Amino acid sequence: MKLVKLGQISLDGTKIKANASKHKALSHGHIEKLEAQLREEVQALLKKAAEVDQEDLADGFDLPAEVARREERLKALAEAKAKIAARVKERDEQARKDYEEKMARRDALRATGKKPRGKEPKAPETGPQAKDQINLTDEESRIMPNADGFIQGYNAQAAVDADSMLIVATTLTQHTNDKQQVEPMLSELKGLQDRFGKPETLLADNGYFSNKNIHACVQQKITPLIALGREAHHLPLEQRLTPDAPEPETADPLVKMAWKLKTQSGHALYGKRKSTVEPVFGIIKQVLGFRQFSLRGLEAVTGEWKLVTMAFNLKRMQVLAAG
């Protein structure tokens, strides 16, 4: 008997700390201060070299070596700035896409007759910020937002079968934004079709919402149920008893999904998300006690995450077998 036959799949991610070793980091703002200081020192040393002979300097003071050392540090700082700039460019591009998706989400809500909540989104600011950092201990880890603020770590993703609560696929990424994780997970799930079948529905919170992700699900004949915004936990009784609105006559999968989420069946299906994937992360962190990686680097940490999720599945299968 198969423990898993893919039906509803819940997708979510959690931020996990990088290796516990003390992290050394440089911010873009601090780099610019160091660069200014080192350039001033180099100019002062060169001026000193033009005014005096090496023999007139204090014993042990090698002026050319001092200049070379500072120039080498300036080169290293320039390389660090270039790496930060490359990451910022990627972040800015994602921020632009997120802004466009927010606008598309609001348009989809308007199409269903619902007024979008909150203020109109503002176009993102671009370019390196003083607080942007590069980590010198585990360069492939990133600053990640979490419930307590920010951590240096990775974004661990899991797809969980809603019936068995078994983890059926995992990915791990440096990206803080979950919107980029749907297509990689769909690719992982596609590789399982011969053994477990194709998922019927993909459940995910509004952090995964994008028009591109919806179309990616539809192309694989998977029904997307990705929240357009924060969902109310306890709907008024009158609203729960209200008959479903007629299905909109449109080929737009975004508008169709917005309608499906408002139906009784769609609301019930989406309700499975919170009771499947979120407890899995809770068990991994609280019961298994896994809160930070021991290895460094994206490839090694990806393997470590797979081992952790395998440990969870073994524990879960024991419970299922006993039941």
Side-chain angles (χ1 to χ4, degrees), residues 183 186-187 190 193 198-199 215-222:
E183 290 187 87
L186 288 176
S187 179
K190 190 174 183 179
Q193 288 184 20
K198 183 170 60 178
H215 281 84
C217 291
V218 172
Q219 286 173 2
Q220 293 198 26
K221 295 184 166 78
I222 297 172

Side-chain angles (χ1 to χ4, degrees), residues 88-101:
V88 167
K89 183 178 180 181
E90 181 180 339
R91 181 188 67 196
D92 289 347
E93 179 62 22
Q94 185 60 44
R96 183 187 62 78
K97 290 179 181 178
D98 291 346
Y99 171 72
E100 292 174 352
E101 291 294 346

Side-chain angles (χ1 to χ4, degrees), residues 24-39 73-74 76-78 80-81 84 128-134 136:
K24 297 179 180 178
L26 276 176
S27 69
H28 192 272
H30 189 53
I31 289 174
E32 291 190 325
K33 290 179 181 178
L34 287 175
E35 284 181 321
Q37 177 185 332
L38 289 169
R39 289 193 182 101
R73 288 188 66 190
L74 282 168
L77 291 173
K81 280 181 69 176
I84 290 176
Q129 306 296 318
K131 64 182 180 180
D132 290 327
Q133 292 185 346
I134 183 170
L136 304 179

Side-chain angles (χ1 to χ4, degrees), residues 230-241 267 271 274:
R230 287 188 176 275
E231 296 294 312
H233 295 298
H234 303 288
L235 294 176
L237 180 62
E238 182 181 352
Q239 188 174 343
R240 280 184 282 166
L241 297 177
H267 189 74
K274 205 172 190 63

Side-chain angles (χ1 to χ4, degrees), residues 240-264:
R240 280 184 282 166
L241 297 177
T242 301
D244 295 339
E247 183 174 357
E249 296 180 3
T250 177
D252 188 340
L254 173 55
V255 175
K256 283 187 174 182
M257 188 188 77
W259 167 79
K260 181 69 174 177
L261 284 166
K262 296 300 178 185
T263 64
Q264 301 291 343

Side-chain angles (χ1 to χ4, degrees), residues 5 45 61 131 149 155 163 170 182 200 208 269 312 320:
K5 186 180 186 306
L45 289 169
F61 188 86
K131 64 182 180 180
N155 185 353
D163 292 329
T170 65
V182 171
E200 298 169 4
Y208 292 87
L269 271 178
F312 169 85
L320 293 172

